[in-house]
Amino acid sequence: MDFDLSEVQSMLKDGLDRMLANEYGFESRNAYMAEPEGYSQAMWNRYAEMGLMMLPFAEEDGGLGGDAEDIMLVMESFGRALVLEPWFATVVLGGGFVREGGNDAQRGELVPAIADGSLKLAFAHSERHARYDLAHVETTAEKKGDSYVLNGAKSLVLNGDTADKIFVSARISGDVRDEAGLCVFLVDADAAGLTRRGYRLQDGSRAAEVTLENVSVDSSRLFGPEGGAYPLIAKVVDQAVAALCAEAVGNMEAMEKLTVEYLKTRKQFGVEIGKFQVLQHAAVDMFIALEQGRSITMYATMMADSDDADERGRAVSAAKVEIGRGGRLAGENAIQLHGGVGMTMEYAIGHYFKRITMIDILFGDTDHHLSKLSGAGGLFEAA
Amino acid sequence: MDFDLSEVQSMLKDGLDRMLANEYGFESRNAYMAEPEGYSQAMWNRYAEMGLMMLPFAEEDGGLGGDAEDIMLVMESFGRALVLEPWFATVVLGGGFVREGGNDAQRGELVPAIADGSLKLAFAHSERHARYDLAHVETTAEKKGDSYVLNGAKSLVLNGDTADKIFVSARISGDVRDEAGLCVFLVDADAAGLTRRGYRLQDGSRAAEVTLENVSVDSSRLFGPEGGAYPLIAKVVDQAVAALCAEAVGNMEAMEKLTVEYLKTRKQFGVEIGKFQVLQHAAVDMFIALEQGRSITMYATMMADSDDADERGRAVSAAKVEIGRGGRLAGENAIQLHGGVGMTMEYAIGHYFKRITMIDILFGDTDHHLSKLSGAGGLFEAA
Amino acid sequence: MDLRFTDEENAFREEVRAFFREALPKDIYDAMIHGEYPDKDGLVRWTRILNEKGWAVPHWPEEWGGTGWDPMKQYIFLEELQKFPCPAPLAFGVNMVGPVIYTFGSEEQKKHYLPRIANLDDWWCQGFSEPGAGSDLASLKTRAVREGDHYIVNGQKTWTTLAQYADWIFCLVRTDTQAKKQEGISFLLIDMKTPGIEVRPIITIDGGREINEVFFTDVKVPVENLVGQENKGWDYAKFLLGNERTNIARIGMSKQRIARIRELAAKEMSGGRPLIENPRFMEKLVSVEIDLKALEMTQLRVVSADAKRGNTGKPDPASSILKIKGSQIQQATTHLLMEVMGPYAMPFQHDTGQGWNEPPIGPDYAAHAAPSYFNNRKVSIYGGSNEIQKNIIAKAVLGL
Amino acid sequence: MDLRFTDEENAFREEVRAFFREALPKDIYDAMIHGEYPDKDGLVRWTRILNEKGWAVPHWPEEWGGTGWDPMKQYIFLEELQKFPCPAPLAFGVNMVGPVIYTFGSEEQKKHYLPRIANLDDWWCQGFSEPGAGSDLASLKTRAVREGDHYIVNGQKTWTTLAQYADWIFCLVRTDTQAKKQEGISFLLIDMKTPGIEVRPIITIDGGREINEVFFTDVKVPVENLVGQENKGWDYAKFLLGNERTNIARIGMSKQRIARIRELAAKEMSGGRPLIENPRFMEKLVSVEIDLKALEMTQLRVVSADAKRGNTGKPDPASSILKIKGSQIQQATTHLLMEVMGPYAMPFQHDTGQGWNEPPIGPDYAAHAAPSYFNNRKVSIYGGSNEIQKNIIAKAVLGL
């Protein structure tokens, strides 16, 4: 076991952190958010230049051969800077389907386009009554000759409003909440019958409602087995959750730093408020939540590429729970310790708090994953 | 609504508190515990002289006509002093069956004997696999002519080792966990076929295992309807739980007082430890738990005599939950704030902690009552 | 000791409910049920309906429009108001400056201001907090210098709630810079139309405009706008801040939110069943309900003790926990309400001051859930943070 | 970065497990599984089995019996030891005074004491705490006055764990009363058979005798029993207290307790079904498991960082949380274990020093549950309370 970064990883992390420190200050981020896409195309290009887009793809496909640990490093850095660009949607979610579900031809076509930054992806899966149930899909796929016809409504598609192509889950057989019977297709965003309505989320990032009315997709656009895509979806989502946990660790790190700085500079009753023992301990509780969150995220990351769906799912759920409750504690303490200024849009701390609150909701909240893990038997076996 | 004590109540409370302050110091209590019965017969006689035994019985039966609020006052005082004598077993539990389930003849026989202190009672109900399920009774009652024959094993009978007569629940029909089919009998402790094994509980109070082998009881000893005793049992137990909550409030009051005193006198690093803000806030958390516990106990007390089993049960479960979690917080904080000395038998604080821990277990722990209340629909209705 | 409501109290509760059912305009009810505060026009309309009924300022002296209700009835009225839910009358007028004026103000001030407050003819806001002061309120720096029959006020206030609507502001200003910090403070009433006052919005993290900064540059305030004596303002401020005990726990509001959680959790599905049937969710909700029931009893103990003493004596020690537990319960319930929405808590569906005119993303009741969770983080910060409250209990109640 | 155990590490873990399976006497295992610590005879037997294998003092220098394992292997060994569960070797010897002796002691001291510690020929106890000192350890008052080639020791120690079995005690004593409190302290080794030493039991709230008071009246200690230099004892004490990082979180012990909870919750019935099938119970248990898994990773990060630095450098900031979270998890699991027993946690079934020879009340595994919950309240108190730990983090890590 070895927790140290490799030389390449250190270079990646340091380079990215340095760039974000220069280019992604709080004011810059506000400016990026105000751009039409809701993020900065210029920054997107910078990431592509750095090779971030090709990071987790196999070298033979034109990638850098990175793994879940490399994704973790990027997401942590992005979490520290509250990055808005759709790297998660494109590389982790979309790229996950390409990597884990794409055949040679599909990978050969898509990886280069992802790698150079010219292709943005999204994943349209959630539906109105699915809540956090991954198997709940009402959208239908019907086979017609060499094509499939899709009908349905997808909700909360992260960065779906600016994606070029969208992975869409649909049901070809089975009941609404069956794991069997699911397919995943890659659909062009401008396909006939596909409409999108983009909007902002609470944290300033963007999503879209996507409606599919008799959208025809060629069978070459099917990823994974027809009717058997659930394991693929589960794996990509598990990897995505591990990545989001890493982003939350970045959030928590930034909140801890901002809060401790604030405690050292803000004075009340004639002394820095950081001299009050109760506030010190509240900051220590944030620190503990951060370090425990970092640890469990490493554990989930270690398991994220595993093909043992049960073991992988348990590790990922454990991390989502620990990050969910630790993130809430850290966020709420951060606001409380900042007092009134923490409640305002003009201070960064509230934006971290909102982001980490959204991360708890994404792909299942704390309670959902605690129930799931509990139903799966927990983490440790009986003697 | 009026929270003030009546004149009679004030006299009762003040008199009892004064007597206990004089006679029930920590050393005295240890001496009482070492007596053969595990408590002081002399103190028992004092309570009888004060009229405590006759408190909750109707005036026409020879009682004082007190109600649940009066029981609350006594139990709070007992909780402050960690009283060991079997007033709860005799007057609240046993007396509850007499009051709520006894016919004229039964009340006429028993109330005077309870009132003068000559009769001690107990309630034998719990069984090995019942856990906290009130309807789980395996002990059987079989009708034979004018008698019933009882067979079974009862567990954790509070003060069952020194009781003169014991209320015993038994099943005359139905399945093990059915509410229907239960009876309650009053059995002489020296009845043929009844054996007892007494022992001490963690908090120094006493209980017994009671075995019934072909114990014959006359049908005049049946309390409440044959086969229909569940509502009677539920009511007496609800009243008992409300009384235990009041005892816990007394425990918490004493712990708060001892702890605050300790914080004011104990010095470390050259100052009283009560000057450390974190310890102050931990004491405040105890204070909040105490006041919230007092409030919810008042609510349960207000409902304890109600014949609406659903409403009464919800109020009582709510109180048991709030007392359970508040009591745990108060007890654990009290030990933590005392440090090492709190861990020793020679300090009173640990004995309060143990008592309040046992109160959580008695008649269903925090989780049990939270589930029960939740299953019953909670406390507030939807709009 | 009698822990039940009297028949008279129950009848009064019914009377109050019946009036609300009949009198609250539907548009205002609809806004309230969605977790929005009504706009200025709505609150003015509602306050005038209450005032016509004679219920706009129940706790005031009868001479100035009070109802003469005992503290228990006042509590019942407030609880029902919040539970219905009706908008609360503007606190800055009826709970804050109003009692200061009828207790410490001149006859002229009483006659002029009190009826206008009761009828919401004047919208008041509060000028206490300043940048950098936080919980250390008395460290305020805004100066008022006497020149002839005016004070000249210079300085800055912040966290000024709803100042954008305000006609008047009551301010703590420093009139003596030599005295120690609690002394040398005065209590001034300032017309917001006076030249030299500028209001700038502060947008909170939920995206709303509720608070503002207020800047004073050479603002001329007539000396007759001084309340009570010069340099005694801190006493009046303490009186004002101590007046909060019947409302600070917001029992009725939390009851209303719990009812809303139950209603919506019966609509949202989880694993093919209504969320309300999920035992874990239900136990979390019930767990808060228990806390709230305990707090309600605590509140009633305080109200009852006030009633006994004619509302003049030292507060019941239990009263100090109302703010702490009340805010914790408000925060727990807003988080639960957000949880009910599941993923639909995520879309940001309101724009500052403009409303949201597009069709909703997901259910039409989800928009305010996350903003309300974010916004309610304030309740453990303002009015003396919960840390300050615990300091107060440690010192005043426990003697530490 | 490679977050998986190496093949070598996995093989080592198997080797350790296999040895424990073969070597741990059954009577000791039975005591451990019921939550009891073995008696003196049991621990001596077990230590000698380990010592024969060469595993009694793995972390010591190889010259004195250490194994040369890297920190990761040492951690694996300890975790498996606790998880099995085997008794841990007596910490006062192998983890406390042993390292002090091989680091600061004279050659004679090393040669004499170290082999006897490894073989548990000498049972050591710790004489640091004094009445009234609490977390302020350096305020100790026990005096040692040099007279010829002896020190004369007078004073009192307390919280002395298992002193009733002890052959030797290592003590902090004050040798200079003029210096400030951390200076003027020396580290003495004292034979418990020396005249003038009296041991009195302290019974803890769980009813057990684990700790004692130790009184010193004119106790003559040869000067060669001084470790290192006079008046430098505080440095050695800090070294000793800082040596706890691989064991303080007690990961293996908590894992073992969780396994036990799972096993017994499958036996105890609730509502006609095994308690382990109750979703609420299971979620509470799993909630602690998640915390424990996170802490295990935190522990491994610390161990791995130690390995990189050869165990000499500044500790990883994460190490400071091991004590806090470790103790919280121990306390949560002992409470859960008590909950499993339901009403059968209530009977008091052991008597100080005498065992319990009667048939059990209820199931035969319930007796230790409540006492263990009571007893484990100590883990957030001793060795620097959790409040002190947080002060340390605030200062040393956060710079507050």
Side-chain angles (χ1 to χ4, degrees), chain C residues 24-169:
Chain C
L24 182 68
K26 183 165 183 326
D27 64 314
I28 297 179
Y29 175 79
D30 286 343
M32 291 296 292
I33 204 80
H34 280 94
E36 297 166 48
Y37 201 72
D39 58 13
K40 181 170 183 173
D41 159 72
L43 193 65
V44 169
R45 272 189 290 142
W46 172 236
T47 303
R48 289 175 187 176
I49 290 167
L50 282 174
N51 199 30
E52 193 163 331
K53 174 82 175 172
W55 287 0
V57 286
H59 53 296
W60 285 16
E62 288 178 71
E63 177 186 4
W64 300 111
T67 53
W69 294 336
D70 66 19
M72 188 62 75
K73 279 191 180 167
Q74 288 183 34
Y75 170 73
I76 291 170
F77 176 76
L78 258 180
E79 191 201 328
E80 291 302 325
L81 185 96
Q82 292 176 2
K83 234 170 81 179
F84 192 79
C86 306
L90 190 72
F92 308 106
V94 302
N95 297 329
M96 296 185 180
V97 76
V100 168
I101 290 174
Y102 66 65
T103 309
F104 305 105
S106 65
E107 275 314 301
E108 291 68 31
Q109 287 171 338
K110 293 179 197 175
K111 279 188 195 139
H112 175 74
Y113 293 111
L114 294 176
R116 298 181 58 80
I117 291 171
N119 205 45
L120 201 42
D121 294 333
D122 294 334
W123 187 291
W124 282 86
C125 66
Q126 178 186 35
F128 280 14
S129 290
E130 297 192 1
S135 294
D136 186 9
L137 197 59
S139 67
L140 60 92
K141 294 199 178 72
T142 295
R143 287 291 312 277
V145 179
R146 177 85 182 253
E147 287 191 5
D149 48 8
H150 284 82
Y151 290 99
I152 308 299
V153 178
N154 279 285
Q156 182 190 349
K157 296 292 177 179
T158 192
W159 316 128
T160 315
T161 302
L162 301 179
Q164 68 267 40
Y165 300 147
D167 304 301
W168 285 81
I169 184 168

Side-chain angles (χ1 to χ4, degrees), chain B residues 1-2 4 69 256 260 264 277 281 285 291-292 294-295 298 302 318 322 325 371 374 377 379-380, chain C residues 1-4 9 262 282-283 287 289-291 294-295 298 301 304 308 387 390-391 398-399:
Chain B
M1 194 170 267
D2 176 8
D4 287 359
E69 287 155 22
E256 171 74 23
V260 168
K264 285 178 186 168
Q277 196 188 22
H281 284 208
D285 290 340
E291 292 302 332
Q292 286 282 85
R294 191 194 302 283
S295 289
M298 286 176 171
M302 180 170 105
E322 186 80 11
R325 56 195 183 190
S371 286
S374 187
L379 277 175
F380 299 110
Chain C
M1 191 179 261
D2 183 354
L3 303 182
R4 289 164 188 276
E9 286 161 353
R262 283 171 166 269
M282 190 64 182
E283 287 183 11
S287 187
E289 290 184 353
I290 294 169
D291 249 5
L295 191 65
T298 303
R301 286 165 56 198
S304 165
K308 289 277 158 195
E387 290 80 9
K390 288 191 181 181
N391 288 350
L398 307 185

Side-chain angles (χ1 to χ4, degrees), chain C residues 293-360:
Chain C
K293 176 55 83 177
L295 191 65
E296 183 181 23
M297 293 299 292
T298 303
Q299 172 82 73
L300 288 168
R301 286 165 56 198
V302 171
V303 169
S304 165
D306 282 353
K308 289 277 158 195
R309 282 187 303 259
N311 207 356
T312 53
K314 254 194 97 176
D316 188 299
S319 70
S320 49
I321 76 178
L322 296 175
K323 169 83 191 324
I324 295 172
K325 287 304 294 184
S327 60
Q328 287 170 348
I329 290 168
Q330 288 174 74
Q331 294 179 334
T333 51
T334 48
H335 194 273
L336 273 171
L337 188 58
M338 181 174 75
E339 281 184 63
V340 170
M341 307 311 167
Y344 291 101
M346 293 195 291
F348 181 79
Q349 304 190 56
H350 72 104
D351 280 319
T352 309
Q354 297 172 29
W356 172 264
N357 297 314
E358 298 177 45

Side-chain angles (χ1 to χ4, degrees), chain A residues 302-379:
Chain A
M302 180 169 104
M303 309 295 280
D305 291 335
S306 168
D307 281 324
D308 181 336
D310 174 56
E311 203 186 27
R312 186 189 67 223
R314 290 204 245 182
V316 162
S317 284
K320 196 70 168 35
V321 171
E322 186 79 12
I323 286 290
R325 55 194 183 191
R328 183 175 171 193
L329 178 144
E332 292 184 352
N333 278 16
I335 300 294
Q336 185 73 20
L337 291 173
H338 273 80
V341 299
M343 290 294 301
T344 67
M345 281 284 199
E346 284 160 57
Y347 267 70
I349 197 75
H351 298 267
Y352 287 102
F353 170 54
K354 289 196 283 185
R355 177 60 189 161
I356 209 161
T357 303
M358 293 302 107
I359 287 177
D360 183 48
I361 295 173
L362 283 168
F363 298 106
D365 65 11
T366 303
D367 275 7
H368 170 79
H369 282 283
L370 183 57
S371 287
K372 191 176 163 214
L373 177 56
S374 189
L379 276 176

Side-chain angles (χ1 to χ4, degrees), chain A residues 1-2 4 69 256 260 264 277 281 285 291-292 294-295 298 302 318 322 325 371 374 377 379-380, chain D residues 1-4 9 262 282-283 287 289-291 294-295 298 301 304 308 387 390-391 398-399:
Chain A
M1 196 171 264
D2 176 9
D4 288 359
E69 287 155 22
E256 171 74 22
V260 169
K264 285 179 187 167
Q277 197 187 22
H281 285 208
D285 290 340
E291 291 302 331
Q292 287 282 85
R294 190 194 302 283
S295 289
M298 287 177 172
M302 180 169 104
E322 186 79 12
R325 55 194 183 191
S371 287
S374 189
L379 276 176
F380 298 110
Chain D
M1 190 179 260
D2 183 354
L3 303 182
R4 288 164 188 277
E9 286 161 352
R262 283 171 167 269
M282 190 64 181
E283 287 183 11
S287 187
E289 290 183 353
I290 294 169
D291 249 5
L295 192 64
T298 303
R301 286 164 57 198
S304 165
K308 288 276 158 201
E387 290 81 9
K390 288 191 180 178
N391 288 350
L398 307 184

Side-chain angles (χ1 to χ4, degrees), chain B residues 92-102 123 167 184 223 232-233 236:
Chain B
V92 179
L93 284 173
F97 283 104
V98 173
R99 206 173 59 237
E100 303 284 348
F123 176 38
F167 283 98
V184 169
F223 278 68
L232 171 62
I233 295 172
V236 171

Side-chain angles (χ1 to χ4, degrees), chain B residues 90 151 207:
Chain B
T90 298
N151 278 287

